[in-house]
Amino acid sequence: MRYNKDGYHEPSSIKEAALFCYAVVPVCKCGHRCSFDPWGLWYHFERYRWDGQFSAAKARFWCRVCASREKSSAAKKRVRPIRFDLERPQKPDVCLPTPPDHEWRRVVSRTRC
């Protein structure tokens, strides 16, 4: 866990973002942004046993806007995000299935801050 300049906890993984109720927003170099529901995103990474640290999670995201600009389908490249922004979730753009109640409670009870 890391702290920002004001001394507050700053999430460094998808699990911490879900625990602190922050929507995860990957930002592409073209400026396209798409907010993800934090609990569904955490559960998606948990089910596939992917590393949820933001540095490793960049390999799992790609910009559909940049990929659709490529003319031929064979030449479409996956453009990875340059950073992750965190914001309070109002209405996320992407909602993945949420975890079962008992799994989420288990995670919360194991990671008290």
Side-chain angles (χ1 to χ4, degrees), residues 14-97:
I14 292 173
K15 180 170 104 175
E16 290 176 2
L19 287 168
F20 294 140
C21 301
Y22 284 110
V24 177
V25 184
V27 180
C28 180
K29 65 181 179 182
C30 71
H32 183 248
R33 309 164 43 96
C34 185
S35 66
F36 285 83
D37 174 45
W39 303 282
L41 185 63
W42 168 80
Y43 187 54
H44 185 75
F45 270 70
E46 188 73 15
R47 282 186 308 180
Y48 287 103
R49 298 177 187 236
W50 292 341
D51 187 5
Q53 294 295 322
F54 287 142
S55 57
K58 284 183 183 180
R60 302 291 178 181
F61 292 91
W62 53 281
C63 180
R64 290 186 177 188
V65 175
C66 290
S68 66
R69 289 183 184 155
E70 299 292 329
K71 297 198 183 208
S72 68
S73 61
K76 287 187 179 182
K77 294 183 180 177
R78 292 187 173 182
V79 179
R80 304 296 176 197
I82 55 173
R83 71 176 188 275
F84 286 107
D85 287 343
L86 300 170
E87 54 190 41
R88 293 291 177 185
Q90 289 129 15
K91 186 170 184 208
D93 299 325
V94 179
C95 291
L96 297 167

Side-chain angles (χ1 to χ4, degrees), residues 4-19:
N4 62 10
K5 63 182 177 181
D6 297 326
Y8 295 111
H9 293 283
E10 188 173 287
S12 60
S13 69
I14 292 173
K15 180 170 104 175
E16 290 176 2
L19 287 168

